[in-house]
PDB file of all heavy atoms in Angstrom:
ATOM      1  N   ILE A  11      -1.350   7.343  -4.192  1.00 98.00           N
ATOM      2  CA  ILE A  11       0.077   7.659  -4.096  1.00 98.00           C
ATOM      3  C   ILE A  11       0.271   9.112  -3.676  1.00 98.00           C
ATOM      4  O   ILE A  11      -0.661   9.925  -3.742  1.00 98.00           O
ATOM      5  CB  ILE A  11       0.800   7.437  -5.449  1.00 98.00           C
ATOM      6  CG1 ILE A  11       0.219   8.367  -6.536  1.00 98.00           C
ATOM      7  CG2 ILE A  11       0.703   5.969  -5.897  1.00 98.00           C
ATOM      8  CD1 ILE A  11       1.036   8.414  -7.823  1.00 98.00           C
ATOM      9  N   SER A  12       1.518   9.418  -3.265  1.00 98.00           N
ATOM     10  CA  SER A  12       1.893  10.814  -3.027  1.00 98.00           C
ATOM     11  C   SER A  12       3.212  11.151  -3.710  1.00 98.00           C
ATOM     12  O   SER A  12       3.616  12.315  -3.713  1.00 98.00           O
ATOM     13  CB  SER A  12       2.061  11.089  -1.525  1.00 98.00           C
ATOM     14  OG  SER A  12       0.857  10.866  -0.826  1.00 98.00           O
ATOM     15  N   GLY A  13       3.906  10.144  -4.233  1.00 98.00           N
ATOM     16  CA  GLY A  13       5.262  10.403  -4.718  1.00 98.00           C
ATOM     17  C   GLY A  13       5.642   9.640  -5.957  1.00 98.00           C
ATOM     18  O   GLY A  13       4.879   9.568  -6.917  1.00 98.00           O
ATOM     19  N   ARG A  14       6.815   8.974  -5.897  1.00 97.00           N
ATOM     20  CA  ARG A  14       7.405   8.416  -7.131  1.00 97.00           C
ATOM     21  C   ARG A  14       6.639   7.227  -7.663  1.00 97.00           C
ATOM     22  O   ARG A  14       6.656   6.937  -8.853  1.00 97.00           O
ATOM     23  CB  ARG A  14       8.860   8.027  -6.874  1.00 97.00           C
ATOM     24  CG  ARG A  14       8.967   6.875  -5.907  1.00 97.00           C
ATOM     25  CD  ARG A  14      10.360   6.558  -5.427  1.00 97.00           C
ATOM     26  NE  ARG A  14      10.172   5.762  -4.217  1.00 97.00           N
ATOM     27  CZ  ARG A  14      11.116   5.342  -3.446  1.00 97.00           C
ATOM     28  NH1 ARG A  14      12.360   5.627  -3.723  1.00 97.00           N
ATOM     29  NH2 ARG A  14      10.838   4.622  -2.387  1.00 97.00           N
ATOM     30  N   GLY A  15       5.990   6.456  -6.770  1.00 98.00           N
ATOM     31  CA  GLY A  15       5.123   5.394  -7.263  1.00 98.00           C
ATOM     32  C   GLY A  15       5.828   4.134  -7.741  1.00 98.00           C
ATOM     33  O   GLY A  15       5.350   3.468  -8.660  1.00 98.00           O
ATOM     34  N   SER A  16       6.925   3.757  -7.090  1.00 98.00           N
ATOM     35  CA  SER A  16       7.588   2.520  -7.548  1.00 98.00           C
ATOM     36  C   SER A  16       6.782   1.273  -7.155  1.00 98.00           C
ATOM     37  O   SER A  16       6.737   0.298  -7.911  1.00 98.00           O
ATOM     38  CB  SER A  16       9.028   2.438  -7.032  1.00 98.00           C
ATOM     39  OG  SER A  16       9.072   2.139  -5.659  1.00 98.00           O
ATOM     40  N   ASN A  17       6.134   1.306  -5.998  1.00 98.00           N
ATOM     41  CA  ASN A  17       5.260   0.166  -5.651  1.00 98.00           C
ATOM     42  C   ASN A  17       4.066   0.106  -6.598  1.00 98.00           C
ATOM     43  O   ASN A  17       3.657  -0.969  -7.026  1.00 98.00           O
ATOM     44  CB  ASN A  17       4.792   0.268  -4.199  1.00 98.00           C
ATOM     45  CG  ASN A  17       5.822  -0.291  -3.241  1.00 98.00           C
ATOM     46  OD1 ASN A  17       6.027  -1.499  -3.180  1.00 98.00           O
ATOM     47  ND2 ASN A  17       6.508   0.590  -2.530  1.00 98.00           N
ATOM     48  N   MET A  18       3.512   1.276  -6.906  1.00 98.00           N
ATOM     49  CA  MET A  18       2.431   1.323  -7.892  1.00 98.00           C
ATOM     50  C   MET A  18       2.875   0.687  -9.201  1.00 98.00           C
ATOM     51  O   MET A  18       2.139  -0.121  -9.799  1.00 98.00           O
ATOM     52  CB  MET A  18       2.039   2.793  -8.140  1.00 98.00           C
ATOM     53  CG  MET A  18       1.042   2.987  -9.251  1.00 98.00           C
ATOM     54  SD  MET A  18       1.130   4.664  -9.945  1.00 98.00           S
ATOM     55  CE  MET A  18       2.684   4.558 -10.873  1.00 98.00           C
ATOM     56  N   ALA A  19       4.098   1.015  -9.640  1.00 98.00           N
ATOM     57  CA  ALA A  19       4.602   0.452 -10.899  1.00 98.00           C
ATOM     58  C   ALA A  19       4.694  -1.070 -10.809  1.00 98.00           C
ATOM     59  O   ALA A  19       4.385  -1.775 -11.779  1.00 98.00           O
ATOM     60  CB  ALA A  19       5.966   1.059 -11.229  1.00 98.00           C
ATOM     61  N   GLY A  46       4.591   9.680  -9.805  1.00 98.00           N
ATOM     62  CA  GLY A  46       3.859   8.461 -10.146  1.00 98.00           C
ATOM     63  C   GLY A  46       2.666   8.700 -11.062  1.00 98.00           C
ATOM     64  O   GLY A  46       2.234   7.798 -11.776  1.00 98.00           O
ATOM     65  N   ARG A  49       3.791   8.286 -14.540  1.00 98.00           N
ATOM     66  CA  ARG A  49       4.110   6.873 -14.720  1.00 98.00           C
ATOM     67  C   ARG A  49       2.842   6.061 -14.974  1.00 98.00           C
ATOM     68  O   ARG A  49       2.814   5.174 -15.810  1.00 98.00           O
ATOM     69  CB  ARG A  49       4.756   6.371 -13.421  1.00 98.00           C
ATOM     70  CG  ARG A  49       6.067   5.705 -13.621  1.00 98.00           C
ATOM     71  CD  ARG A  49       6.756   5.552 -12.288  1.00 98.00           C
ATOM     72  NE  ARG A  49       7.613   4.383 -12.348  1.00 98.00           N
ATOM     73  CZ  ARG A  49       8.502   4.077 -11.447  1.00 98.00           C
ATOM     74  NH1 ARG A  49       8.665   4.848 -10.386  1.00 98.00           N
ATOM     75  NH2 ARG A  49       9.252   2.996 -11.573  1.00 98.00           N
ATOM     76  N   LEU A  89      -3.006   1.598  -0.759  1.00 98.00           N
ATOM     77  CA  LEU A  89      -2.119   2.720  -0.477  1.00 98.00           C
ATOM     78  C   LEU A  89      -0.694   2.331  -0.858  1.00 98.00           C
ATOM     79  O   LEU A  89      -0.204   1.276  -0.444  1.00 98.00           O
ATOM     80  CB  LEU A  89      -2.173   3.099   1.006  1.00 98.00           C
ATOM     81  CG  LEU A  89      -3.563   3.350   1.608  1.00 98.00           C
ATOM     82  CD1 LEU A  89      -3.432   3.784   3.079  1.00 98.00           C
ATOM     83  CD2 LEU A  89      -4.319   4.403   0.819  1.00 98.00           C
ATOM     84  N   ALA A  90      -0.050   3.181  -1.634  1.00 98.00           N
ATOM     85  CA  ALA A  90       1.322   2.888  -2.066  1.00 98.00           C
ATOM     86  C   ALA A  90       2.140   4.170  -1.959  1.00 98.00           C
ATOM     87  O   ALA A  90       2.252   4.925  -2.916  1.00 98.00           O
ATOM     88  CB  ALA A  90       1.316   2.343  -3.495  1.00 98.00           C
ATOM     89  N   GLY A  91       2.657   4.421  -0.746  1.00 97.00           N
ATOM     90  CA  GLY A  91       3.378   5.667  -0.531  1.00 97.00           C
ATOM     91  C   GLY A  91       2.436   6.844  -0.495  1.00 97.00           C
ATOM     92  O   GLY A  91       2.745   7.922  -1.004  1.00 97.00           O
ATOM     93  N   PHE A  92       1.274   6.645   0.110  1.00 97.00           N
ATOM     94  CA  PHE A  92       0.278   7.717   0.258  1.00 97.00           C
ATOM     95  C   PHE A  92       0.504   8.362   1.618  1.00 97.00           C
ATOM     96  O   PHE A  92       0.274   7.733   2.659  1.00 97.00           O
ATOM     97  CB  PHE A  92      -1.125   7.133   0.154  1.00 97.00           C
ATOM     98  CG  PHE A  92      -2.215   8.165   0.181  1.00 97.00           C
ATOM     99  CD1 PHE A  92      -2.391   9.036  -0.882  1.00 97.00           C
ATOM    100  CD2 PHE A  92      -3.073   8.254   1.263  1.00 97.00           C
ATOM    101  CE1 PHE A  92      -3.406   9.987  -0.870  1.00 97.00           C
ATOM    102  CE2 PHE A  92      -4.091   9.201   1.291  1.00 97.00           C
ATOM    103  CZ  PHE A  92      -4.256  10.070   0.223  1.00 97.00           C
ATOM    104  N   LEU A  93       0.987   9.617   1.614  1.00 94.00           N
ATOM    105  CA  LEU A  93       1.491  10.229   2.845  1.00 94.00           C
ATOM    106  C   LEU A  93       0.477  11.179   3.468  1.00 94.00           C
ATOM    107  O   LEU A  93       0.770  12.334   3.741  1.00 94.00           O
ATOM    108  CB  LEU A  93       2.796  10.987   2.546  1.00 94.00           C
ATOM    109  CG  LEU A  93       3.898  10.144   1.914  1.00 94.00           C
ATOM    110  CD1 LEU A  93       5.105  11.001   1.575  1.00 94.00           C
ATOM    111  CD2 LEU A  93       4.289   8.995   2.845  1.00 94.00           C
ATOM    112  N   ASN A 110      -2.176  -1.347   2.906  1.00 98.00           N
ATOM    113  CA  ASN A 110      -1.020  -0.444   2.865  1.00 98.00           C
ATOM    114  C   ASN A 110       0.249  -1.272   2.885  1.00 98.00           C
ATOM    115  O   ASN A 110       0.251  -2.414   3.367  1.00 98.00           O
ATOM    116  CB  ASN A 110      -1.055   0.477   4.097  1.00 98.00           C
ATOM    117  CG  ASN A 110       0.103   1.465   4.129  1.00 98.00           C
ATOM    118  OD1 ASN A 110       0.411   2.106   3.116  1.00 98.00           O
ATOM    119  ND2 ASN A 110       0.764   1.587   5.266  1.00 98.00           N
ATOM    120  N   ILE A 111       1.328  -0.684   2.364  1.00 98.00           N
ATOM    121  CA  ILE A 111       2.643  -1.303   2.551  1.00 98.00           C
ATOM    122  C   ILE A 111       3.503  -0.374   3.386  1.00 98.00           C
ATOM    123  O   ILE A 111       3.508   0.843   3.176  1.00 98.00           O
ATOM    124  CB  ILE A 111       3.325  -1.659   1.215  1.00 98.00           C
ATOM    125  CG1 ILE A 111       4.607  -2.465   1.495  1.00 98.00           C
ATOM    126  CG2 ILE A 111       3.600  -0.435   0.354  1.00 98.00           C
ATOM    127  CD1 ILE A 111       5.069  -3.337   0.351  1.00 98.00           C
ATOM    128  N   HIS A 112       4.176  -0.971   4.367  1.00 98.00           N
ATOM    129  CA  HIS A 112       5.002  -0.202   5.294  1.00 98.00           C
ATOM    130  C   HIS A 112       6.435  -0.728   5.226  1.00 98.00           C
ATOM    131  O   HIS A 112       6.646  -1.945   5.264  1.00 98.00           O
ATOM    132  CB  HIS A 112       4.444  -0.355   6.720  1.00 98.00           C
ATOM    133  CG  HIS A 112       5.244   0.408   7.722  1.00 98.00           C
ATOM    134  ND1 HIS A 112       5.181   1.779   7.829  1.00 98.00           N
ATOM    135  CD2 HIS A 112       6.160   0.000   8.639  1.00 98.00           C
ATOM    136  CE1 HIS A 112       6.016   2.175   8.778  1.00 98.00           C
ATOM    137  NE2 HIS A 112       6.620   1.122   9.277  1.00 98.00           N
ATOM    138  N   PRO A 113       7.425   0.164   5.170  1.00 98.00           N
ATOM    139  CA  PRO A 113       8.807  -0.291   4.990  1.00 98.00           C
ATOM    140  C   PRO A 113       9.503  -0.695   6.291  1.00 98.00           C
ATOM    141  O   PRO A 113      10.567  -0.172   6.639  1.00 98.00           O
ATOM    142  CB  PRO A 113       9.482   0.920   4.334  1.00 98.00           C
ATOM    143  CG  PRO A 113       8.741   2.091   4.884  1.00 98.00           C
ATOM    144  CD  PRO A 113       7.313   1.641   5.085  1.00 98.00           C
ATOM    145  N   ALA A 114       8.908  -1.632   7.017  1.00 98.00           N
ATOM    146  CA  ALA A 114       9.530  -2.214   8.214  1.00 98.00           C
ATOM    147  C   ALA A 114       8.725  -3.458   8.579  1.00 98.00           C
ATOM    148  O   ALA A 114       7.611  -3.647   8.082  1.00 98.00           O
ATOM    149  CB  ALA A 114       9.513  -1.234   9.385  1.00 98.00           C
ATOM    150  N   THR A 124      12.051   4.660   8.891  1.00 98.00           N
ATOM    151  CA  THR A 124      12.189   3.294   9.417  1.00 98.00           C
ATOM    152  C   THR A 124      13.594   2.729   9.218  1.00 98.00           C
ATOM    153  O   THR A 124      14.073   1.980  10.067  1.00 98.00           O
ATOM    154  CB  THR A 124      11.173   2.370   8.729  1.00 98.00           C
ATOM    155  OG1 THR A 124      11.349   2.468   7.312  1.00 98.00           O
ATOM    156  CG2 THR A 124       9.746   2.749   9.084  1.00 98.00           C
ATOM    157  N   HIS A 125      14.243   3.079   8.113  1.00 98.00           N
ATOM    158  CA  HIS A 125      15.561   2.483   7.852  1.00 98.00           C
ATOM    159  C   HIS A 125      16.623   3.070   8.795  1.00 98.00           C
ATOM    160  O   HIS A 125      17.443   2.330   9.340  1.00 98.00           O
ATOM    161  CB  HIS A 125      15.951   2.673   6.381  1.00 98.00           C
ATOM    162  CG  HIS A 125      14.849   2.278   5.442  1.00 98.00           C
ATOM    163  ND1 HIS A 125      14.183   1.072   5.565  1.00 98.00           N
ATOM    164  CD2 HIS A 125      14.260   2.936   4.418  1.00 98.00           C
ATOM    165  CE1 HIS A 125      13.241   1.007   4.626  1.00 98.00           C
ATOM    166  NE2 HIS A 125      13.263   2.124   3.932  1.00 98.00           N
ATOM    167  N   CYS A 138       9.589  -5.439   5.203  1.00 98.00           N
ATOM    168  CA  CYS A 138       8.381  -4.682   4.878  1.00 98.00           C
ATOM    169  C   CYS A 138       7.141  -5.507   5.213  1.00 98.00           C
ATOM    170  O   CYS A 138       7.215  -6.738   5.351  1.00 98.00           O
ATOM    171  CB  CYS A 138       8.372  -4.288   3.410  1.00 98.00           C
ATOM    172  SG  CYS A 138       8.701  -5.630   2.262  1.00 98.00           S
ATOM    173  N   THR A 139       6.029  -4.802   5.346  1.00 98.00           N
ATOM    174  CA  THR A 139       4.773  -5.408   5.793  1.00 98.00           C
ATOM    175  C   THR A 139       3.622  -4.894   4.948  1.00 98.00           C
ATOM    176  O   THR A 139       3.512  -3.680   4.729  1.00 98.00           O
ATOM    177  CB  THR A 139       4.498  -5.014   7.272  1.00 98.00           C
ATOM    178  OG1 THR A 139       5.598  -5.428   8.081  1.00 98.00           O
ATOM    179  CG2 THR A 139       3.203  -5.638   7.780  1.00 98.00           C
ATOM    180  N   GLY A 170      17.404   0.837   2.588  1.00 98.00           N
ATOM    181  CA  GLY A 170      16.082   1.164   2.051  1.00 98.00           C
ATOM    182  C   GLY A 170      15.888   0.609   0.645  1.00 98.00           C
ATOM    183  O   GLY A 170      14.792   0.146   0.298  1.00 98.00           O
ATOM    184  N   VAL A 173      15.153  -3.050   0.971  1.00 98.00           N
ATOM    185  CA  VAL A 173      13.768  -3.251   1.417  1.00 98.00           C
ATOM    186  C   VAL A 173      12.800  -2.979   0.257  1.00 98.00           C
ATOM    187  O   VAL A 173      11.833  -3.713   0.055  1.00 98.00           O
ATOM    188  CB  VAL A 173      13.440  -2.336   2.623  1.00 98.00           C
ATOM    189  CG1 VAL A 173      11.945  -2.383   2.943  1.00 98.00           C
ATOM    190  CG2 VAL A 173      14.259  -2.743   3.839  1.00 98.00           C
ATOM    191  N   LEU A 174      13.084  -1.929  -0.505  1.00 98.00           N
ATOM    192  CA  LEU A 174      12.173  -1.563  -1.604  1.00 98.00           C
ATOM    193  C   LEU A 174      12.054  -2.694  -2.628  1.00 98.00           C
ATOM    194  O   LEU A 174      10.964  -2.967  -3.134  1.00 98.00           O
ATOM    195  CB  LEU A 174      12.659  -0.271  -2.268  1.00 98.00           C
ATOM    196  CG  LEU A 174      11.639   0.427  -3.182  1.00 98.00           C
ATOM    197  CD1 LEU A 174      10.411   0.901  -2.403  1.00 98.00           C
ATOM    198  CD2 LEU A 174      12.285   1.617  -3.902  1.00 98.00           C
ATOM    199  N   GLU A 177       9.692  -4.991  -1.234  1.00 98.00           N
ATOM    200  CA  GLU A 177       8.331  -4.445  -1.328  1.00 98.00           C
ATOM    201  C   GLU A 177       7.727  -4.737  -2.696  1.00 98.00           C
ATOM    202  O   GLU A 177       6.550  -5.095  -2.802  1.00 98.00           O
ATOM    203  CB  GLU A 177       8.354  -2.916  -1.120  1.00 98.00           C
ATOM    204  CG  GLU A 177       8.751  -2.483   0.269  1.00 98.00           C
ATOM    205  CD  GLU A 177       8.668  -0.968   0.447  1.00 98.00           C
ATOM    206  OE1 GLU A 177       7.739  -0.342  -0.088  1.00 98.00           O
ATOM    207  OE2 GLU A 177       9.555  -0.407   1.120  1.00 98.00           O
ATOM    208  N   HIS A 178       8.545  -4.582  -3.729  1.00 98.00           N
ATOM    209  CA  HIS A 178       8.028  -4.745  -5.095  1.00 98.00           C
ATOM    210  C   HIS A 178       7.641  -6.187  -5.392  1.00 98.00           C
ATOM    211  O   HIS A 178       6.855  -6.431  -6.302  1.00 98.00           O
ATOM    212  CB  HIS A 178       9.070  -4.244  -6.105  1.00 98.00           C
ATOM    213  CG  HIS A 178       9.338  -2.787  -5.988  1.00 98.00           C
ATOM    214  ND1 HIS A 178      10.427  -2.167  -6.543  1.00 98.00           N
ATOM    215  CD2 HIS A 178       8.646  -1.814  -5.338  1.00 98.00           C
ATOM    216  CE1 HIS A 178      10.388  -0.869  -6.273  1.00 98.00           C
ATOM    217  NE2 HIS A 178       9.325  -0.636  -5.526  1.00 98.00           N
ATOM    218  N   TYR A 181       4.216  -6.783  -2.428  1.00 98.00           N
ATOM    219  CA  TYR A 181       2.915  -6.117  -2.563  1.00 98.00           C
ATOM    220  C   TYR A 181       2.035  -6.781  -3.635  1.00 98.00           C
ATOM    221  O   TYR A 181       0.869  -7.100  -3.355  1.00 98.00           O
ATOM    222  CB  TYR A 181       3.102  -4.620  -2.825  1.00 98.00           C
ATOM    223  CG  TYR A 181       2.016  -3.737  -2.198  1.00 98.00           C
ATOM    224  CD1 TYR A 181       2.062  -2.359  -2.319  1.00 98.00           C
ATOM    225  CD2 TYR A 181       0.952  -4.285  -1.472  1.00 98.00           C
ATOM    226  CE1 TYR A 181       1.092  -1.537  -1.739  1.00 98.00           C
ATOM    227  CE2 TYR A 181      -0.019  -3.474  -0.887  1.00 98.00           C
ATOM    228  CZ  TYR A 181       0.057  -2.107  -1.030  1.00 98.00           C
ATOM    229  OH  TYR A 181      -0.901  -1.304  -0.453  1.00 98.00           O
TER     230      TYR A 181
HETATM  231  C1  GRF B 301       7.634   2.777   0.228  1.00 54.24           C
HETATM  232  O1  GRF B 301       8.816   2.539   0.939  1.00 54.24           O
HETATM  233  C2  GRF B 301       6.445   2.317   1.024  1.00 54.24           C
HETATM  234  O2  GRF B 301       6.708   1.221   1.822  1.00 54.24           O
HETATM  235  C3  GRF B 301       6.144   3.506   1.887  1.00 54.24           C
HETATM  236  O3  GRF B 301       6.410   4.617   1.077  1.00 54.24           O
HETATM  237  C4  GRF B 301       7.357   4.271   0.076  1.00 54.24           C
HETATM  238  C5  GRF B 301       6.735   4.593  -1.243  1.00 54.24           C
HETATM  239  O4  GRF B 301       7.613   4.435  -2.317  1.00 54.24           O
HETATM  240  N1  GRF B 301       4.793   3.442   2.387  1.00 54.24           N
HETATM  241  P1  GRF B 301       7.059   4.410  -3.788  1.00 54.24           P
HETATM  242  O5  GRF B 301       6.304   5.710  -4.017  1.00 54.24           O
HETATM  243  O6  GRF B 301       6.163   3.231  -3.925  1.00 54.24           O
HETATM  244  O7  GRF B 301       8.265   4.324  -4.669  1.00 54.24           O
END
Side-chain angles (χ1 to χ4, degrees):
I11 62 169
S12 299
R14 67 189 162 184
S16 74
N17 277 289
M18 173 203 73
R49 233 167 151 169
L89 308 183
F92 185 69
L93 304 176
N110 181 46
I111 187 157
H112 180 74
T124 55
H125 311 311
C138 50
T139 303
V173 171
L174 195 64
E177 293 184 38
H178 296 164
Y181 214 178

